């Protein structure tokens, strides 16, 4: 939890503080010679009053990370943290007014009704993290006011697992896979690994490696070791239980499956080839259930992924350079990470965001600043010089000059001017 | 058979569905992704405009009676320069952008890879019917997308010509034109696009965005607004007036999203400015502008009636100080200047989109800046002055899509500047590389090595692990070393 919340937040603040002057300054734009002596620049200005709606799984990270960007960009901010994480929401509501300028940065707590009220107002930008269903509601409300939105949604993030020969490599990637699933809020993260794709020959080895490492990382009795998060609430617990209720899915469980409803705990669970039409393979899992799907060839993963909605992240564990290149050019996703998972969240030089069903817009690092900024184009012209042929009344001579000038045909322009070339 | 060829197929929901299915199949085949395909299409767009310049000018004249020179400057030359730029830069635009990585993800390397969004819809507007269909299409094609163009039905000759030429010169398995109006557009909007690029009014922009929301489709909306021109007194008046008049009446007779909508100047300077404007108008359009061939017509009787209503408003009677002549049968409308109309008059509330130019006078120009943004952020705002302080205040306080100091509309032609609105004037931007980016998804790619891993990342967790993580994430190399050797 530290990585994804407190650690990355303090990194983001430090980056914003050290880079702010640079981010706030105008960027000069090049102009063609014909435009001399004009100058052009792009001036970043705040959008105004922005609404940030965050999610329950990383209640601090997903609230404050966009807030950092919005403030850096000079906006006034309203934050609506998720009501499903009441302790965090309440802490945010208490501390933000104490530390930040309460005239410009406010926290409004509440559930669906409050969210609906907020969406009826005219915002200059709405930044939403959550699921696609609510994402549609947010964008529809924004359309009334032509409010630009950023939607950070989810999806089924696949992990393609190629075969590895070295045991060092194997151990490393298995840890990363498990960290990226059970070790990330028990799989309740938009970028958590949702399912694994592996070549059928390697599947048994993979399964064994996963089971052994799971025991090592989470203990023989995971509920006792407190190394894994619990499910957020009863509703989601039952949703996950339902995914396993289907008998054909039940029979595919090869590890774990134990559930404790009173404590909202589900142990790390691995499944082997559940039916592709079952909900566990059509809906985003968002929990500690890890299906493994086997394929004849690892390259078949490309078609498998392409026949499904675009994910927020694709993870590929491989040393095969050709496969890497093919995944990049033949699939589409918010991002692609090779040989690790989740960690792209902590990198602030690459944008974080989705595409297609996983959302649009992006943030992190300077991209956070940009997402809450309007890049205003400014052209400064001199009153000293003029292209008099730009204006009516029109005639052939003017048209010939215009054609040359607008195609930057300086020589042709000269010819026309000297009467040596006519408009054809 | 004669009967069949006369029966026009209705483009309904079913037709839109089949169209989408076909394009998704073509896009999935990867045809639009290659550099060669994109270059071939862009070269053919250039051919369309080069080889059919006369047909295009004729069609635009038939639809809008726009003078040839205007059509050339505002439509043909811009499409040509967009193509030229895209062809010249495409290689560079398509290259992945390498970015630095920090100790937090060490060892790693990263890049940002541009990829097409997929199948995109471009809805054009009527005032620059060729430009506003083809210019965004150039960006979409350069970015490797499959494209559907819906040109404006208010320009039937141009719409039909675009459909014919695109069908003839471009790859019709990937680039299609759908002609039609509300029914056809609605059918298109029901489909799931990977991006919708719309140019037009805020009213329809809302409809487009709401339709897009059902499918979580990102949109670019190029809308309009009331673009103000603030005019100071210490300027080269003849040059300034030519530029104001050019941006207003030589731009489709004021029917342009970035045409100056109204002027703000000081009470003292107004008479001089008005005289200079009148003088220039007479030099350009003669004593009877309705006879001039250099003035574009109003697009249709609806818009004509709308403009007449603005002048017939009681609140502006007596404020018309120049022009006002019109010819309903021929949809001709003379350049018209109004002085000091009330702020709650119709002409000061909606975007004029026509040849009426209200002039508002104030005591101090700086006082007008708040007035501007209180009306909703416009697509453009213009300032004529030599006063450095005034320029800086304008740049800092007036929010608009784009600003031009000492000219009007010209920023539209500068490909290194993003062109787009903010607030009521729109979402997103394009031109030059911004067009390419408008139709691209910039995908982050992170390559991680195997050299080392902080076991601190994984359970079982401990305080010591936490210390190491803190150091790693703050990017502090010293902190990392200390944590590793068990200190602090």
């Amino acid at each position: 939890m530290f990585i994804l919340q407190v650690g990355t937040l303090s990194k983001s603040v430090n980056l914003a503080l050290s880079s702010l002057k640079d981010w706030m300054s105008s960027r000069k734009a090049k102009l063609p010679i014909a435009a001399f002596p004009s100058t052009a620049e792009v001036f970043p200005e705040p959008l105004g009053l922005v609404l940030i709606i965050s999610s329950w799984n990383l209640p601090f990270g997903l609230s404050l990370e966009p807030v950092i960007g919005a403030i850096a960009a000079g906006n006034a901010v309203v934050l609506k943290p998720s009501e499903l994480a009441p302790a965090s929401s309440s802490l945010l509501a208490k501390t933000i007014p104490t530390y930040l300028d309460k005239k410009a940065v406010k926290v409004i707590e509440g559930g669906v009704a409050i969210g609906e009220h907020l969406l009826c107002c005219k915002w200059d930008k709405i930044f939403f993290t959550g699921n696609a269903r609510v994402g549609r509601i947010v964008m529809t409300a924004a359309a009334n006011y032509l409010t630009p939105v950023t939607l950070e949604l989810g999806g089924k993030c696949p992990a393609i697992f190629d075969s590895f020969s070295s045991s060092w490599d194997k151990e490393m990637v298995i840890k990363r896979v498990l960290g990226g699933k059970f070790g990330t809020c028990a799989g309740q993260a938009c970028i958590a690994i949702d399912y694994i794709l592996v070549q059928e020959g390697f599947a048994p080895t993979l399964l064994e490696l996963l089971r052994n490492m799971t025991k090592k990382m989470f203990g023989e009795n995971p509920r006792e070791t407190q190394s894994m998060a619990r499910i957020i609430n009863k509703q989601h617990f039952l949703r996950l239980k339902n995914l396993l209720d289907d008998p054909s899915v039940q029979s595919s469980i090869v590890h774990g499956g134990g559930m404790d409803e009173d404590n909202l705990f589900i142990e790390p669970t691995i499944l082997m080839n559940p039916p592709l039409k079952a909900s566990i393979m059509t809906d985003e899992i968002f929990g500690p259930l890890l299906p493994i799907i086997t394929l004849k060839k690892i390259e078949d993963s490309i078609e498998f992924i392409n026949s499904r909605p675009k994910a927020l992240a694709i993870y590929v564990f491989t040393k095969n350079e050709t496969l890497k290149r093919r995944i990049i050019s033949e699939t589409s996703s918010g991002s692609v990470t090779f040989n690790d998972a989740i960690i792209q969240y902590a990198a602030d030089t690459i944008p974080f965001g989705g595409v297609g069903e996983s959302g649009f817009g992006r943030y992190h690092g300077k991209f956070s600043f940009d997402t809450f900024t309007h890049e205003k184009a400014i052209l400064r012209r001199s009153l000293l010089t003029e292209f008099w042929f730009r204006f009516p009344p029109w005639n052939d001579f003017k048209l010939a000059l215009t054609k040359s000038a607008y195609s930057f045909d300086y020589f042709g322009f000269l010819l026309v001017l000297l009467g040596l070339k006519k408009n054809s | 058979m004669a009967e069949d060829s006369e029966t026009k197929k209705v483009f309904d929901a079913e037709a839109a569905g089949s169209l989408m299915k076909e394009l998704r199949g073509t896009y999935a085949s990867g045809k639009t992704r290659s550099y060669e395909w994109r270059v071939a299409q862009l070269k053919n767009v250039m051919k369309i405009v080069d080889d059919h310049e006369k047909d295009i000018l004729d069609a635009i004249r038939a639809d809008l009676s726009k003078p040839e020179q205007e059509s050339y400057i505002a439509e043909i030359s811009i499409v040509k320069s967009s193509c030229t730029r895209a062809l010249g830069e495409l290689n560079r635009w398509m290259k992945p952008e390498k970015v630095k990585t920090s100790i937090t993800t060490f060892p790693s390397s990263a890049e940002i890879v541009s990829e097409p969004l997929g199948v995109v819809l471009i809805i054009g507007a009527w005032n620059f019917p060729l430009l506003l269909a083809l210019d965004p299409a150039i960006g979409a094609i350069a970015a490797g997308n499959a494209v559907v163009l819906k040109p404006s039905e208010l320009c039937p000759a141009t719409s039909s010509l675009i459909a014919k030429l695109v069908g003839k010169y471009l790859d019709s398995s990937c680039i299609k034109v759908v002609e039609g109006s509300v029914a056809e557009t609605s059918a298109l909007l029901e489909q799931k696009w990977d991006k919708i690029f719309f140019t037009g009014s805020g009213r329809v922009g809302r409809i487009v965005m709401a339709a897009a929301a059902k499918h979580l489709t990102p949109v670019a909306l190029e809308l309009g607004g009331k673009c103000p021109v603030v005019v100071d007194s210490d300027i080269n008046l003849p040059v300034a007036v030519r530029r104001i008049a050019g941006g207003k009446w030589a731009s489709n007779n004021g029917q342009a999203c970035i045409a100056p909508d109204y002027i703000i100047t000081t009470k003292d300077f107004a008479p001089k400015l008005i005289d200079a404007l009148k003088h220039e108008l007479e030099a350009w359009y003669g004593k009877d502008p309705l006879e001039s061939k250099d003035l574009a017509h109003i697009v249709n009787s609806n818009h004509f009636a709308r403009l007449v209503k603005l002048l017939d408003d009681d609140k502006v009677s007596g404020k018309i100080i120049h022009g006002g002549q019109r010819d309903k049968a021929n949809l001709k409308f003379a350049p018209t200047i109004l002085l000091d109309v009330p702020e709650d008059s119709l002409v000061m509330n909606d975007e004029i989109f026509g040849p009426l130019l209200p002039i508002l006078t104030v005591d101090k120009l700086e006082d007008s800046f708040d007035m501007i943004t209180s009306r909703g952020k416009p697509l453009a705002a213009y300032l004529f002055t030599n006063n450095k302080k005034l320029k800086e205040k304008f740049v800092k306080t007036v929010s608009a899509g784009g600003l031009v100091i000492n000219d009007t509309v010209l920023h539209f032609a500068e490909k290194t500047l993003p062109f787009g609105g903010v607030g009521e004037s729109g979402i997103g931007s394009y031109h030059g590389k911004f067009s390419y980016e408008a139709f691209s998804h910039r995908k982050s790619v992170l390559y991680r090595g195997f050299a080392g891993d902080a076991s601190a990342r994984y359970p079982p967790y401990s305080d010591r692990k936490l210390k190491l993580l803190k150091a790693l994430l703050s990017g502090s190399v010293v902190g990392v070393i200390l944590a590793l050797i068990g200190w602090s």
Side-chain angles (χ1 to χ4, degrees):
Chain A
M1 258 318 97
F2 183 82
I3 302 179
L4 288 174
Q5 302 223 70
V6 181
T8 46
L9 284 175
S10 69
K11 189 176 60 63
S12 299
V13 170
N14 286 329
L15 177 69
L17 284 169
S18 59
S19 315
L20 194 57
K21 268 220 165 80
D22 186 38
W23 292 352
M24 282 174 69
S25 53
S26 280
R27 221 173 52 236
K28 287 232 172 295
K30 260 172 62 178
L31 290 180
I33 305 171
F36 183 81
S38 314
T39 60
E41 69 201 67
V42 175
F43 178 83
E45 60 177 30
L47 288 167
L49 180 55
V50 309
L51 172 65
I52 295 171
I53 301 174
S54 75
S55 171
W56 52 260
N57 54 338
L58 297 174
F60 281 92
L62 298 175
S63 298
L64 294 181
E65 188 74 49
V67 166
I68 291 168
I71 291 174
N75 299 277
V77 183
V78 168
L79 170 66
K80 201 209 79 65
S82 171
E83 70 282 15
L84 297 189
S88 305
S89 170
S90 164
L91 184 59
L92 283 165
K94 212 170 68 182
T95 46
I96 284 182
T98 317
Y99 286 82
L100 301 184
D101 181 350
K102 43 175 177 280
K103 287 216 183 93
V105 183
K106 294 194 188 288
V107 180
I108 301 198
E109 294 190 84
V112 176
I114 298 288
E116 279 175 1
H117 281 308
L118 287 171
L119 288 175
C120 287
C121 306
K122 176 174 158 65
W123 302 94
D124 296 305
K125 172 106 187 189
I126 300 176
F127 186 102
F128 170 79
T129 307
N131 67 42
R133 186 188 63 84
V134 182
R136 285 176 171 82
I137 295 170
V138 169
M139 188 172 171
T140 306
N144 279 330
Y145 292 111
L146 299 168
T147 297
V149 300
T150 291
L151 301 178
E152 295 274 331
L153 310 175
K156 292 180 78 62
C157 300
I160 300 170
F161 209 98
D162 199 0
S163 52
F164 285 86
S165 41
S166 128
S167 53
W168 166 266
D169 292 346
K170 271 190 215 144
E171 175 161 331
M172 184 154 295
V173 303
I174 289 291
K175 274 192 192 157
R176 291 174 178 180
V177 166
L178 292 173
K181 176 68 166 187
F182 306 125
T184 306
C185 202
Q188 298 164 104
C190 51
I191 42 172
I193 292 176
D194 191 280
Y195 63 97
I196 290 180
L197 292 168
V198 69
Q199 195 267 330
E200 57 196 5
F202 191 64
T205 315
L206 174 63
L207 179 57
E208 168 127 5
L209 288 166
L210 286 172
R211 291 171 79 170
N212 289 339
M213 190 57 77
T214 301
K215 286 197 197 117
K216 238 170 141 180
M217 284 167 88
F218 301 99
E220 284 289 344
N221 192 344
R223 199 186 338 156
E224 311 290 317
T225 55
Q226 300 207 334
S227 281
M228 206 170 89
R230 62 175 168 82
I231 307 307
I232 179 72
N233 61 19
K234 191 76 135 219
Q235 189 197 346
H236 279 276
F237 181 92
L238 291 172
R239 179 184 62 79
L240 289 163
K241 186 165 176 293
N242 278 338
L243 291 182
L244 295 183
D245 273 349
D246 180 344
S248 54
V249 174
Q250 263 288 327
S251 58
S252 68
I253 297 178
V254 290
H255 182 90
M259 300 195 171
D260 175 356
E261 192 165 331
D262 292 330
N263 291 306
L264 295 177
F265 185 82
I266 297 177
E267 56 176 349
T269 301
I270 305 174
L271 306 93
M272 184 64 81
N273 282 322
L276 295 178
K277 286 206 163 55
S279 299
I280 198 172
M281 281 311 296
T282 57
D283 300 344
E284 186 176 359
I285 294 171
F286 227 72
L289 317 176
L290 180 61
I292 300 176
I293 307 293
T294 61
L295 304 165
K296 288 230 159 358
K297 293 191 332 271
I298 197 65
E299 290 78 10
D300 293 344
S301 55
I302 293 175
E303 199 192 311
F304 189 96
I305 288 170
N306 284 343
S307 60
R308 287 164 171 76
K310 298 180 186 179
L312 190 50
I314 292 177
Y315 301 111
V316 192
F317 294 88
T318 186
K319 280 186 145 174
N320 180 336
E321 295 299 319
T322 309
L323 181 64
K324 287 185 191 176
R325 271 196 302 276
R326 282 195 68 191
I327 298 288
I328 294 175
S329 59
E330 294 177 44
T331 65
S332 181
S333 55
S335 65
V336 180
T337 298
F338 291 105
N339 296 320
D340 208 332
I342 312 294
I343 198 158
Q344 74 274 21
Y345 186 88
D348 48 37
T349 51
I350 46 176
F352 183 88
V355 66
E357 284 280 327
S358 52
F360 54 81
R362 63 234 184 130
Y363 68 135
H364 287 186
K366 179 165 195 272
F367 305 102
S368 292
F369 177 90
D370 291 341
T371 219
F372 291 100
T373 290
H374 166 53
E375 298 210 311
K376 185 166 71 181
I378 304 178
L379 179 64
R380 295 166 193 267
R381 295 261 298 148
S382 156
L383 287 166
L384 292 174
T385 59
E386 185 56 276
F387 284 160
W388 47 270
F389 51 88
R390 279 167 60 190
F391 306 115
W394 307 124
N395 56 48
D396 280 345
F397 181 51
K398 279 188 181 178
L399 186 58
L401 279 177
T402 312
K403 282 187 172 177
S404 315
Y406 280 82
S407 58
F408 304 111
D409 176 10
Y410 301 115
F411 187 60
F413 180 86
L414 203 57
L415 291 178
V416 174
L417 205 55
L418 296 171
L420 298 170
K421 185 175 168 184
K422 290 209 164 24
N423 178 31
S424 47
Chain B
M1 290 203 300
E3 246 180 49
D4 280 340
S5 66
E6 275 164 26
T7 321
K8 228 180 156 183
K9 262 204 239 145
V10 171
F11 188 84
D12 55 9
E14 199 187 317
S18 331
L19 175 75
M20 179 55 92
K21 198 163 172 225
E22 186 194 336
L23 286 171
R24 289 237 167 260
T26 323
Y27 179 74
S29 74
K31 198 173 186 199
T32 60
R33 310 286 295 252
S34 73
Y35 174 78
E36 290 71 28
W37 181 87
R38 303 181 203 194
V39 165
Q41 298 312 302
L42 291 172
K43 283 191 169 151
N44 283 338
V45 171
M46 193 68 133
K47 255 178 109 38
I48 287 178
V49 176
D50 274 338
D51 295 355
H52 293 270
E53 185 180 301
K54 183 168 184 317
D55 296 328
I56 293 170
L57 293 174
D58 286 345
I60 297 175
R61 196 176 323 113
D63 286 328
L64 298 166
S65 290
K66 211 190 275 196
E68 189 180 300
Q69 186 134 359
E70 257 190 61
S71 298
Y72 189 85
I73 295 178
E75 304 214 44
I76 293 190
S77 75
I78 296 188
V79 169
K80 277 171 124 155
S81 77
S82 290
C83 270
T84 310
R85 178 167 282 259
L87 284 163
E89 303 282 302
L90 190 58
N91 233 331
R92 215 166 49 86
W93 292 350
M94 284 176 72
K95 274 200 173 67
E97 181 193 333
K98 291 231 173 298
V99 293
K100 285 195 340 217
T101 53
S102 69
I103 195 177
T104 314
T105 52
F106 183 83
S108 64
S109 62
E111 58 189 14
I112 301 173
V113 174
S114 275
E115 57 182 32
L117 287 167
V119 182
V120 307
L121 173 64
I122 295 171
I123 301 175
W126 56 258
N127 52 344
F128 295 90
L130 180 88
L131 175 72
L132 298 176
L134 289 189
D135 204 13
I138 288 167
I141 292 167
N145 297 276
V147 184
V148 171
L149 276 179
K150 216 281 312 153
S152 172
E153 69 280 12
L154 296 191
C155 291
T158 313
S159 173
S160 160
L161 183 65
I162 290 175
K164 199 176 88 183
L165 295 175
V166 167
K168 182 173 167 202
Y169 284 83
L170 303 186
D171 181 348
S172 47
S173 69
C174 311
I175 303 169
K176 295 196 190 281
V177 177
V178 173
E179 293 193 81
S181 80
V182 179
E184 290 77 7
T185 309
S186 303
L188 287 169
L189 286 175
E190 274 172 32
Q191 294 301 310
K192 176 175 160 65
W193 302 92
D194 295 306
K195 175 113 185 188
I196 300 177
F197 188 103
F198 169 79
T199 307
S201 71
R203 187 187 64 83
V204 181
R206 283 168 169 80
I207 295 171
V208 169
M209 190 169 168
K214 296 200 178 84
H215 297 291
L216 297 169
T217 296
V219 299
L221 304 176
E222 296 274 327
L223 310 175
K226 291 183 77 61
C227 303
V229 188
V230 179
V231 185
D232 199 1
S233 45
D234 70 333
I235 51 167
N236 181 336
L237 190 53
V239 174
V241 151
R242 232 174 273 136
R243 292 176 178 181
I244 294 170
K248 179 72 167 183
W249 296 290
S251 297
N252 208 18
N253 205 9
Q255 300 165 101
C257 50
I258 42 171
D261 190 279
Y262 64 102
I263 288 181
I264 300 173
T265 190
T266 53
K267 291 187 162 60
D268 293 333
F269 193 62
K272 268 210 185 117
L273 176 60
I274 291 167
D275 268 340
L277 277 169
K278 286 184 181 180
H279 177 84
E280 202 66 36
L281 283 173
E282 195 174 307
W284 288 9
Y285 304 115
K287 283 206 168 6
D288 187 2
L290 296 185
E291 295 300 308
S292 167
K293 289 200 182 61
D294 287 340
L295 205 58
H297 293 189
I298 305 305
V299 65
N300 63 20
S301 48
N302 279 347
H303 279 276
F304 190 92
R306 181 182 61 78
L307 291 166
V308 168
K309 196 163 163 217
L310 296 181
L311 284 187
D312 287 348
D313 180 8
D314 286 336
K315 297 198 173 103
V316 310
S317 70
K319 309 282 186 193
I320 302 171
I321 55 167
H322 183 87
Q325 311 97 301
R326 57 242 195 195
D327 170 359
K328 191 171 168 190
N330 293 304
L331 296 174
K332 293 191 204 180
F333 215 116
T336 302
I337 304 176
L338 305 97
L339 181 60
D340 281 330
V341 295
E343 284 192 41
D344 61 349
S345 54
L346 288 172
V347 78
M348 280 312 295
N349 275 313
D350 295 335
E351 185 176 0
I352 294 169
F353 227 70
L356 317 181
L357 181 65
I359 300 180
L360 302 182
T361 57
V362 293
D363 289 318
K364 263 172 48 205
L365 285 182
E366 295 94 313
D367 296 342
S368 66
F369 294 174
D370 286 331
M371 191 209 311
I372 294 172
T373 24
S374 70
R375 293 178 176 287
K377 300 175 186 182
L379 188 52
Y382 308 114
L383 172 67
F384 284 86
T385 188
N386 276 316
N387 181 328
K388 196 159 181 241
K389 270 212 176 109
L390 196 64
K391 286 182 195 177
E392 290 326 303
K393 184 153 192 248
F394 188 73
V395 166
K396 284 209 167 68
T397 58
V398 174
S399 182
L403 302 179
V404 186
I405 312 277
N406 291 331
D407 210 327
T408 60
V409 310
L410 214 60
H411 62 305
F412 189 88
E414 297 304 342
K415 302 269 176 268
T416 51
L417 285 174
F419 182 83
V422 64
E424 284 281 333
S425 52
I427 297 175
S429 60
Y430 72 130
H431 285 181
K433 183 162 194 233
F434 304 102
S435 290
Y436 180 89
E437 288 176 356
F439 292 99
S440 295
H441 166 54
R442 294 177 72 208
K443 182 164 74 177
S444 299
V445 180
L446 182 66
Y447 299 87
R448 285 272 290 154
F450 296 88
D453 219 4
S455 65
R457 275 176 67 179
Y458 310 115
Y461 298 120
S462 69
D463 279 345
R464 191 157 171 271
K465 281 191 178 182
L466 189 57
K467 281 201 178 73
L468 178 55
L469 279 179
K470 280 187 176 173
L472 264 175
L473 281 160
S474 68
S476 152
V477 178
V478 173
V480 169
I481 295 172
L482 288 175
L484 282 172
I485 64 178
W487 218 334
S488 90

